[in-house]
């Protein structure tokens, strides 16, 4: 069929339609979320070219070619952009929010304001947007807030649901807070950790675990801000409907029968079925055991969403293998697919340690997955999820303390002390080593009961000499440092004193 004939058919089809129906159709089509073109689509080469330009411009000041850069961002994130007639303001907008950028005549950015639908503009902290990469990240986070299937009214409801969740989490954050509480205490003991509210395009984030070494680093460097493990709070679209609250549910100054915060019951006035769910999202995937994942699923009630708890590779693997890969990637930026299990750890005033990590097998009890985000639908789930995450991260940190960037033996490595780390059961593991005064094996069993409660048990052959290291002594040492090599060094030091005295 020719183009002219096709256009004639379309003209005849719609000429009898009332104008208001045509307007509704146009609005419906505009509200449908735009998808990025595939690499083979007609827009693919152009999009690829624009992304290359953005990467080239990363790190430069926004004052360089500012007008072009703002239009570039608008294109990349499917937003609208225009410059004011005076050339002193640039507007980047969608149907749900807009950003106003105030410019000087030379193109230098002075102020940046953000306004969501129906809200007053909020001034950005411009110090956070000195380059294109930071500004692009903010635009990306803003666009992701509204990626909910459906028309603009449903996306607006999703934003209201996120606002209600954030208010509930902040109320829980303030529940047990006192004037003299410090950040570290909030991180390790607060119901929702240390919470930083959403500002502009930066999502609300929750810091829920920090290691003793990080705390020590902060104490030795006054004014420094050492960051622990964090999660951001946001909302995402889904293929199925979920009942989400549209307003805060937290009941002030009341608690449930078990001491947990109390919430208003969901009702038709306070909630709505949306193709979306709330998400705790991590900056780096966290290795989690299958039992922890199942516990979170029971807590959130999303048993059918196993694949939604994003699992790298969509399959389970030995947990220790995942912890080693994740630690190597964080410590030395190595390829996370490397298969290494022997590591050399250097400590002051001590022979070098060699740790062999027994990763187990895929059919063993201790398997897990890399979890990058956790979906939920009610604010009451968050304190429980945070506790499970703390427990898992504390366990991971002990295993990762035996992992180092050095995994090849040098010729000058003499007087090595050898250790084998073996999964025991649940959240316990064993560290085997040679008795310092006998040719027999000794063992320390470390049990991570909670993120704040760990126990050590030293097991020796009844006929072997004592090592002068009680279980209480080892437990206190472990709580102070959460480091297996430091605890093993303490055992060998005490053993050396026993040997000298005898």
């Amino acid at each position: 069929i020719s183009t002219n004939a096709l256009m004639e058919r379309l003209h005849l089809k719609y000429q009898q339609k009332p104008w208001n129906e045509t307007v509704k159709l146009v609005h419906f089509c505009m509200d449908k979320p735009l998808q990025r073109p595939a690499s083979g689509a007609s827009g693919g080469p152009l999009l690829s070219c624009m992304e290359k330009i953005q990467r080239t411009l990363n790190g430069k000041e926004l004052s360089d070619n500012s007008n072009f850069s703002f239009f570039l961002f608008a294109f990349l994130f499917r937003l609208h952009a225009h410059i004011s007639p005076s050339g002193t303001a640039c507007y980047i907008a969608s149907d749900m929010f807009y950003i106003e950028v105030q410019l000087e005549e030379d193109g230098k950015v002075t102020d940046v304001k953000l306004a969501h639908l129906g809200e007053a503009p909020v001034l950005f902290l411009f110090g956070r947007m000195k380059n294109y990469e930071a500004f692009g990240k903010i635009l990306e986070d803003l666009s992701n807030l509204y990626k909910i299937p459906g028309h603009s009214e449903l996306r607006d409801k999703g934003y209201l649901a996120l606002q209600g969740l954030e208010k509930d989490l902040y109320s829980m954050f303030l529940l047990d807070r006192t004037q003299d509480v410090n950040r570290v205490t909030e991180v390790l003991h607060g119901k929702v950790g240390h919470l930083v509210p959403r500002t502009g395009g930066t999502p609300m984030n929750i810091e829920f675990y920090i290691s003793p070494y990080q705390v020590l680093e902060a104490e030795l460097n006054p004014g420094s801000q050492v960051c622990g493990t964090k999660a951001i709070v946001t909302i995402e679209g889904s293929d199925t409907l979920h009942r989400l609250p549209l307003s805060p549910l937290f009941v002030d100054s009341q608690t449930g029968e078990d001491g947990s915060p109390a919430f208003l019951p969901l009702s038709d006035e306070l909630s709505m079925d949306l193709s979306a769910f709330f998400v705790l999202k991590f900056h780096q995937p966290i290795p989690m055991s299958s039992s922890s994942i199942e516990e979170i699923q029971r807590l959130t009630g999303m048993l059918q969403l196993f694949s939604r708890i994003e699992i790298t590779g969509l399959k389970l693997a030995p947990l220790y293998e995942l912890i080693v890969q994740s630690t190597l990637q964080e410590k030395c930026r190595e390829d996370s697919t490397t298969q290494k299990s022997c590591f050399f750890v250097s400590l002051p005033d001590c022979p070098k340690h060699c740790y062999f990590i027994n990763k187990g097998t895929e059919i063993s009890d201790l398997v897990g997955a890399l979890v990058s985000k956790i979906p939920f639908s009610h604010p009451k789930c968050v304190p429980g999820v945070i506790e499970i995450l703390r427990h898992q991260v504390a366990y991971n940190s002990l295993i990762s303390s035996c992992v180092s960037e050095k995994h090849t033996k040098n010729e000058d490595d003499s007087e090595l002390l050898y250790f084998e780390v073996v999964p025991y059961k649940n959240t316990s593991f064993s560290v085997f080593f040679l008795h310092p005064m006998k040719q027999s094996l000794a063992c320390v069993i470390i049990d991570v009961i909670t993120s704040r409660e760990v126990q050590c048990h030293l097991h020796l052959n009844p006929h072997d000499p004592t090592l002068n290291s009680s279980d209480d002594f080892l437990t206190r040492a472990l709580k102070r440092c959460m480091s297996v090599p430091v605890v093993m060094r303490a055992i060998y030091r005490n053993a050396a004193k026993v040997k000298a005295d005898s």
Side-chain angles (χ1 to χ4, degrees):
I1 188 171
S2 66
T3 303
N4 290 337
L6 178 62
M7 295 303 296
E8 182 65 23
R9 283 189 182 184
L10 290 173
H11 177 73
L12 291 173
K13 180 179 180 180
Y14 288 101
Q15 68 178 351
Q16 303 299 328
K17 297 279 186 181
W19 178 245
N20 61 343
E21 288 189 18
T22 303
V23 171
K24 288 181 181 179
L25 178 62
V26 171
H27 278 288
F28 175 77
C29 294
M30 291 179 65
D31 281 336
K32 292 180 69 176
L34 290 171
Q35 301 296 327
R36 282 199 170 200
S39 58
S42 58
L46 178 60
L47 181 61
S48 175
C49 179
M50 297 292 273
E51 288 176 338
K52 288 179 181 178
I53 294 174
Q54 185 195 26
R55 287 195 297 270
T56 302
L57 293 175
N58 276 346
K60 295 179 181 289
E61 292 295 320
L62 282 173
S63 58
D64 303 335
N65 302 314
S66 56
N67 291 354
F68 170 77
S69 66
F70 292 129
F71 279 101
L72 170 64
F73 281 123
F75 174 85
L76 287 174
F77 296 103
R78 301 293 192 270
L79 303 173
H80 308 288
H82 69 273
I83 303 293
S84 65
S86 63
T88 59
C90 175
Y91 298 90
I92 300 176
S94 72
D95 56 347
M96 305 303 296
F97 70 90
Y98 76 87
I99 293 177
E100 177 185 342
V101 184
Q102 294 292 334
L103 306 167
E104 294 183 352
E105 291 185 359
D106 60 358
K108 184 178 179 181
V109 179
T110 55
D111 288 330
V112 181
K113 295 180 180 179
L114 164 70
H116 291 277
L117 187 66
E119 295 182 3
V122 177
L123 188 66
F124 266 51
L125 182 61
F126 179 65
R128 300 190 58 183
M129 297 187 301
K130 288 296 185 182
N131 56 52
Y132 287 100
E133 187 175 7
F135 188 78
K137 183 66 173 68
I138 286 173
L139 276 184
E140 182 180 9
D141 289 336
L142 282 170
S143 299
N144 288 338
L145 282 181
Y146 297 105
K147 284 188 177 179
I148 297 174
H151 50 76
S152 58
E153 184 178 345
L154 290 177
R155 296 201 294 275
D156 185 37
K157 296 295 185 183
Y159 181 66
L160 288 177
L162 178 63
Q163 282 185 312
L165 170 69
E166 291 172 338
K167 290 176 182 178
D168 280 337
L169 294 181
Y170 193 69
S171 297
M172 284 189 277
F173 169 63
L174 297 176
L175 191 60
D176 298 323
R177 203 178 191 210
T178 58
Q179 290 184 348
D180 58 345
V181 70
N182 59 37
R183 171 176 151 260
V184 173
T185 302
E186 289 175 344
V187 171
L188 296 175
H189 300 275
K191 282 185 172 61
V192 292
H194 177 72
L195 186 147
V196 178
R198 173 167 53 92
T199 55
T202 304
M204 171 182 281
N205 71 77
I206 292 174
E207 186 179 7
F208 58 86
Y209 185 79
I210 188 168
S211 71
Y213 269 133
Q214 290 174 307
V215 175
L216 179 61
E217 185 180 346
E219 291 175 351
L220 295 177
N221 299 282
S224 65
Q225 184 76 356
V226 180
C227 294
T229 308
K230 292 183 178 181
I232 66 171
V233 181
T234 186
I235 188 170
E236 289 189 1
S238 74
D239 300 329
T240 56
L241 292 173
H242 297 92
R243 175 69 63 169
L244 299 183
L246 298 181
S247 61
L249 300 177
F250 181 78
V251 180
D252 190 25
S253 72
Q254 293 188 31
T255 57
E257 295 179 359
D258 58 351
S260 59
F263 297 87
L264 295 173
L266 290 178
S267 63
D268 292 338
E269 293 78 16
L270 297 177
S271 63
M272 181 179 179
D273 287 330
L274 293 172
S275 297
F277 45 56
F278 303 128
V279 175
L280 289 177
K281 187 180 293 186
F282 312 113
H283 297 290
Q284 297 293 334
I286 295 178
M288 296 191 68
S289 67
S290 58
S291 59
S292 294
I293 293 175
E294 291 167 1
E295 193 175 351
I296 287 176
Q297 289 175 318
R298 286 193 295 270
L299 188 64
T300 60
M302 293 192 171
L303 297 175
Q304 75 281 15
L305 291 174
F306 188 84
S307 61
R308 283 293 185 181
I309 303 183
E310 281 197 359
I311 300 173
T312 303
L314 295 177
K315 65 177 182 180
L316 297 177
L319 179 63
Y320 282 22
E321 181 179 315
L322 298 175
I323 295 174
V324 167
Q325 291 175 3
S326 179
T327 305
L328 284 176
Q329 194 171 23
E330 181 180 354
K331 287 186 175 181
C332 45
R333 304 298 176 187
E334 287 197 11
D335 182 2
S336 62
T337 60
T338 52
Q339 300 293 324
K340 299 180 176 68
S341 57
C342 187
F343 304 95
F344 298 88
V345 178
S346 299
L347 294 173
D349 306 321
C350 178
K352 189 169 292 186
H353 293 191
C354 176
Y355 287 89
F356 175 77
I357 298 182
N358 189 326
K359 300 175 183 176
T361 64
E362 293 183 5
I363 60 174
S364 65
D365 292 336
L366 200 59
V367 294
L370 291 176
V371 177
S372 59
K373 61 184 180 183
I374 295 174
F376 62 100
S377 60
H378 198 288
K380 69 180 181 181
C381 303
V382 176
V385 170
I386 292 296
E387 273 303 302
I388 296 171
L389 291 172
R390 282 173 175 153
H391 193 183
Q392 184 68 65
V393 174
Y395 183 86
N396 293 356
S397 66
L398 285 172
I399 305 302
S400 63
S401 69
C402 305
V403 178
S404 72
E405 61 276 9
K406 187 177 178 185
H407 38 72
T408 55
K409 183 177 179 180
N410 294 335
E411 295 180 358
D412 59 350
D413 287 335
S414 57
E415 299 183 3
L416 275 173
L417 301 178
Y418 290 91
F419 305 90
E420 182 179 9
V421 179
V422 182
Y424 182 53
K425 60 180 180 180
N426 297 329
T427 53
S428 302
F429 63 94
S430 305
V431 182
F432 290 93
F433 59 100
L434 281 175
H435 193 288
M437 291 174 280
K438 289 285 185 179
Q439 291 300 314
S440 60
L441 280 177
C443 170
V444 172
I445 295 179
I446 297 176
D447 186 13
V448 186
I449 301 170
T450 69
S451 62
R452 296 171 290 273
E453 183 63 30
V454 293
Q455 290 182 355
C456 288
H457 303 281
L458 177 62
H459 296 271
L460 304 173
N461 188 309
H463 304 293
D464 289 343
T466 179
L467 297 181
N468 197 29
S469 295
S470 66
D471 291 350
D472 182 62
F473 166 77
L474 296 179
T475 297
R476 284 186 281 109
L478 187 64
K479 284 182 178 180
R480 283 197 301 268
C481 63
M482 290 297 283
S483 169
V484 173
V486 171
V487 171
M488 302 315 297
R489 180 182 64 178
I491 291 175
Y492 271 83
R493 281 182 171 177
N494 285 351
K497 295 177 181 178
V498 172
K499 189 175 181 179
D501 292 342
S502 61

